Amino acid sequence: DMLLLRHRTFDVAARMLIEKHGVRQGVEIASGLSARGIRMTRDYAGLGVAWCDADLPHMVARKMSMLAAGPA
């Protein structure tokens, strides 16, 4: 429950920064399997929001593999 709450809190904060403060770039360090970058760039494509996910090499490889495989 805490992890889900944490992710939702970050989402709300990111959206507030984009919508109310004009932020157009995000960097998520230790992003794990978070899809926040995908959601933010999709939801705010008209604003040109750019997002960079960063993590350890093994986690990046896992995430890329899962994205390439498509929906489960």
Side-chain angles (χ1 to χ4, degrees):
D1 290 336
M2 286 300 296
L3 183 59
L4 182 57
L5 178 61
R6 180 178 144 217
H7 278 277
R8 287 185 177 164
T9 301
F10 287 171
D11 285 350
V12 169
R15 290 181 186 283
M16 181 189 66
L17 289 167
I18 292 167
E19 294 170 10
K20 297 190 185 308
H21 300 287
V23 171
R24 297 294 178 259
Q25 297 178 15
V27 176
E28 188 172 358
I29 299 170
S31 61
L33 299 176
S34 168
R36 185 174 295 110
I38 294 168
R39 286 192 309 272
M40 295 300 160
T41 54
R42 178 196 63 211
D43 294 352
Y44 298 103
L47 297 177
V49 169
W51 201 274
C52 177
D53 288 350
D55 212 314
L56 296 172
H58 72 278
M59 185 56 78
V60 171
R62 181 175 174 196
K63 188 173 189 175
M64 290 176 66
S65 174
M66 291 174 76
L67 287 169

